[in-house]
Amino acid sequence: MRSPLVAVAGAALVAPLALAGPARAAADPAYTVTPLTFTVEAGDRSCAVDADLYRPAGVDADRPAPAVLATNGFGGSKSDGSTDAIGKAFAERGYVGLVYSGLGFGKSGCLITLDDPAVDGRAASELLDFLGGVRAADDGTKADFVTQDADGDPRVGMIGGSYGGAIQLATAAVDPRLDALVPLITWNDLAYALAPNGTGAHTGVTSDVPGVFKWQWANGFYLIGEGQPLLNPSLDPSRINRLDCLHFATRACETIRLLNSGRYPADKAEAMLAYARSVSPVSYLDRVKAPTLIVQGQADSLFNLNEATATYRTLKAQGTETKMVWQSWGHSGGQVPGELDLGQGNLETSHVGQRVLAWFDRHLRRKADTDTGPAFSYYRSWQSGYGTADDVPDLSRTMYLSGDGKLVDNRSKVARGSRKYVNWPVPTSHSESSIAPLIGLPDPKPYDTKGTYLGWRSEPLTEPLDVVGAPKATLKVVSPRAERVQNSGDASDKLVLFAKVYDVAPDGSRKLVNRLVSPVRVPDVTRPFTVELPGIVHRYGKGHRLEFVIAASDTAYFGNRGIKPVTVVHAPEDTGVLELPVVPAG
């Protein structure tokens, strides 16, 4: 299945958007839809925002209703299926809807700034002014039918996915009038999302050391973004930056170009990380006070579960009301029957849909007795119904990497020994789903080439093992070539490796859960380091084995600069450790 985000963007690449018409009756007479334009101030320029206003029948100044604000994922617009479906779904349930094309997309002007609070957040704040009766649309339309908490303070929530998820947090950081947020499948730190580093983290997923460039995703977005002026022709000067950076803000272009260069000198790397984080929730969550229901997808190689966990823990620690759901689908597919699908209209019957409706009932309709569900819930493929917990499970099962290639359950079972692998000039492992399926080509199953990886396998499990959360490994490697260059002042000279855990069936077939891998740029190969792997929800069945793998490269990422052989040495008193967040079966 194609990524929902890329599928929408792909549609935008091949089909121009229809021109907006006058106010029209929706197919469902329960509401009407009125196209509107707003001129907003966004950073250093003014630009037009293209929007649709959904007004339920019977809602007027004497009978106001709370509002839901939403915008598109990257490459989409107010008219794409997933965004349009939000306006329809909530208008049918009595909410006023305002759905708009994000800055730089569809027919909205201005540059793409990656949901910068100072630009995209401020623009969304002006739409809150409209819902609060503070301003009118460009044609004079006013929204005098939205429930108000105070003069100019509308009762409004936001919902949307990916790019349309991060904008909610950016808006809440600059405008306290938001009453409820439901960000789906979005990021915590773009530096981690586009160049992840599974080690050296100093907060959440954020690392001091630049990570490993996720070139497929990042370059796909860059091309989609730069193509917007051609895909949606416009004479609007606010949409154009300069010839060598058409549609993105300058620093966004510079960030992608530096990542593509494969060289990260300390000064440039610091500036790159600073910019990526300045437009990421990690840098402004302390200003987000609106109750937030986080929904993240398990099948997501772009924004994995660890990003949602970082946001959840930060909001919870500062006292912001927050809960989290790990659904099945994300940017890498994973849709299964019964899961949330706005196109199918299953808000009332899906777990996530029920949670969203309850969240808005509680915070927008102010139904104080509404049960908004558990603090944490997660889809599980092996058992009906969502699992629940008071928090994300802690690490609770420890296994040890033995010199004979075994993964053992007791340090005393570790055999002394050493093994070595070496990277090639080209990638020799394949984990994540590549761009091949998006253009109709077959995508190979995950593989690792002999001699370019090391694996440690457990004995067959005597009972099922349910893992919910992010495994963690503590490792120490020996790589003299990496040691000689790692302090060159260029982070790209440090050792790169990739960690993952396979499920090995009794017949020997291997499954990489959701095809997720943890890229690592080792801060210092002379010291032990920890690796946080992507979070998963998976049952390793009875008779199955776990296999922990360290690989030299991966096709979706940039790899090592130069050949860097790696040796892993084991002894009972000094060995690698794999920790798992295990929950009781059932």
Side-chain angles (χ1 to χ4, degrees):
M1 175 181 288
R2 291 198 300 171
S3 150
L5 183 150
V6 172
V8 168
L13 289 172
V14 297
L17 296 175
L19 293 175
R24 63 190 186 277
D28 185 338
Y31 60 90
T32 58
V33 186
T34 305
L36 297 174
T37 301
F38 301 87
T39 300
V40 302
E41 298 300 317
D44 63 351
R45 61 193 67 196
S46 297
C47 62
V49 170
D50 186 30
D52 282 337
L53 177 66
Y54 292 75
R55 180 174 177 175
V59 170
D60 55 30
D62 295 325
R63 292 165 295 182
V68 172
L69 180 65
T71 188
N72 51 274
F74 197 92
S77 73
K78 70 172 188 178
S79 302
D80 67 52
S82 58
T83 311
D84 183 51
I86 292 173
K88 294 175 180 176
F90 287 97
E92 289 170 350
R93 290 161 178 82
Y95 290 94
V96 174
L98 185 61
V99 176
Y100 70 100
S101 297
L103 300 186
F105 297 107
K107 294 185 179 299
S108 290
C110 279
L111 303 175
I112 298 171
T113 64
L114 305 179
D115 280 342
D116 187 340
V119 181
D120 298 83
R122 288 294 178 189
S125 179
E126 294 197 39
L127 301 184
L128 295 182
D129 288 341
F130 167 73
L131 294 172
V134 176
R135 62 161 294 174
D138 290 355
D139 66 358
T141 298
K142 293 185 177 180
D144 58 356
F145 41 79
V146 175
T147 303
Q148 304 289 304
D149 291 322
D151 289 344
D153 183 359
R155 180 101 41 89
V156 58
M158 289 189 76
I159 184 172
S162 195
Y163 201 75
I167 185 60
Q168 301 172 48
L169 298 164
T171 305
V174 299
D175 196 324
R177 290 177 295 177
L178 277 173
D179 297 283
L181 310 178
V182 185
L184 297 92
I185 60 172
T186 197
W187 67 87
N188 172 269
D189 183 353
L190 272 180
Y192 172 83
L194 301 183
N197 192 13
T199 192
H202 62 264
T203 177
V205 295
T206 297
S207 173
D208 294 316
V209 179
V212 187
F213 184 39
K214 192 184 293 183
W215 68 271
Q216 289 186 351
W217 276 116
N219 286 330
F221 289 138
Y222 181 74
L223 293 174
I224 291 168
E226 286 294 74
Q228 287 299 307
L230 302 176
L231 301 170
N232 299 288
S234 171
L235 298 177
D236 183 352
S238 74
R239 293 173 63 102
I240 305 299
N241 187 0
R242 60 192 195 198
L243 289 179
D244 64 337
C245 188
L246 285 176
H247 208 47
F248 282 92
T250 299
R251 292 191 68 188
C253 282
E254 291 173 345
T255 295
I256 297 296
R257 289 171 182 165
L258 179 61
L259 289 168
N260 261 312
S261 73
R263 299 306 301 254
Y264 311 134
D267 57 338
K268 291 185 178 180
E270 183 176 351
M272 171 187 72
L273 295 178
Y275 172 73
R277 287 171 185 150
S278 73
V279 296
S280 296
V282 67
S283 69
Y284 55 74
L285 281 175
D286 61 330
R287 291 179 275 151
V288 175
K289 307 302 180 184
T292 303
L293 176 64
I294 300 167
V295 181
Q296 203 78 348
Q298 296 175 31
D300 204 321
S301 60
L302 177 61
F303 306 136
N304 63 37
L305 298 176
N306 298 9
E307 300 228 41
T309 302
T311 298
Y312 171 75
R313 286 177 170 159
T314 298
L315 291 177
K316 189 175 179 181
Q318 71 189 29
T320 299
E321 182 180 350
T322 184
K323 295 185 177 182
M324 182 166 65
V325 181
W326 288 354
Q327 64 181 15
S328 65
W329 60 265
H331 290 87
S332 304
Q335 182 74 54
V336 297
E339 286 281 79
L340 176 66
D341 185 341
L342 286 174
Q344 298 297 318
N346 66 347
L347 275 167
E348 278 83 2
T349 58
S350 64
H351 175 82
V352 173
Q354 292 169 352
R355 298 292 301 276
V356 171
L357 290 175
W359 200 252
F360 283 168
D361 274 352
R362 174 68 180 85
H363 298 292
L364 301 185
R365 287 187 167 142
R366 301 292 165 85
K367 296 182 178 180
D369 58 347
T370 300
D371 181 2
T372 58
F376 173 55
S377 63
Y378 51 93
Y379 171 81
R380 50 192 179 188
S381 61
W382 65 90
Q383 186 173 349
S384 63
Y386 269 59
T388 64
D390 293 333
D391 204 344
V392 180
D394 294 326
L395 298 167
S396 56
R397 179 73 61 90
T398 303
M399 306 185 81
Y400 303 90
L401 282 56
S402 179
D404 54 7
K406 293 181 179 179
L407 189 61
V408 298
D409 59 6
N410 191 299
R411 187 180 292 274
S412 65
K413 297 179 182 179
V414 173
R416 294 182 181 276
S418 64
R419 294 187 297 155
K420 183 173 74 173
Y421 71 85
V422 63
N423 64 292
W424 295 357
V426 295
T428 53
S429 287
H430 179 71
S431 299
E432 298 177 359
S433 294
S434 71
I435 60 174
L438 304 180
I439 55 177
L441 296 177
D443 186 34
K445 294 180 179 180
Y447 64 80
D448 300 288
T449 302
K450 185 177 180 179
T452 66
Y453 79 99
L454 294 177
W456 293 262
R457 283 194 182 186
S458 72
E459 292 295 321
L461 296 171
T462 57
E463 59 184 16
L465 185 72
D466 295 349
V467 175
V468 178
K472 185 176 78 171
T474 302
L475 305 171
K476 188 174 187 306
V477 301
V478 178
S479 180
R481 291 191 186 181
E483 186 178 344
R484 285 198 293 269
V485 299
Q486 68 178 6
N487 297 317
S488 67
D490 188 328
S492 56
D493 287 327
K494 295 181 183 293
L495 177 69
V496 167
L497 56 84
F498 299 82
K500 47 193 170 181
V501 180
Y502 285 95
D503 181 339
V504 184
D507 64 4
S509 60
R510 303 159 83 213
K511 176 182 180 180
L512 184 57
V513 181
N514 289 321
R515 303 186 65 157
L516 297 174
V517 64
S518 181
V520 175
R521 192 180 298 278
V522 182
D524 183 350
V525 295
T526 67
R527 298 176 178 272
F529 56 95
T530 61
V531 179
E532 184 175 61
L533 283 78
I536 59 172
V537 178
H538 183 69
R539 166 167 284 186
Y540 294 86
K542 181 179 179 180
H544 288 230
R545 302 169 186 256
L546 282 74
E547 182 181 26
F548 176 71
V549 166
I550 300 174
S553 59
D554 208 274
T555 54
Y557 298 85
F558 280 3
N560 287 291
R561 291 186 61 83
I563 304 299
K564 294 183 172 72
V566 173
T567 301
V568 182
V569 180
H570 299 290
E573 63 276 10
D574 183 16
T575 189
V577 174
L578 175 66
E579 297 175 88
L580 303 166
V582 175
V583 300

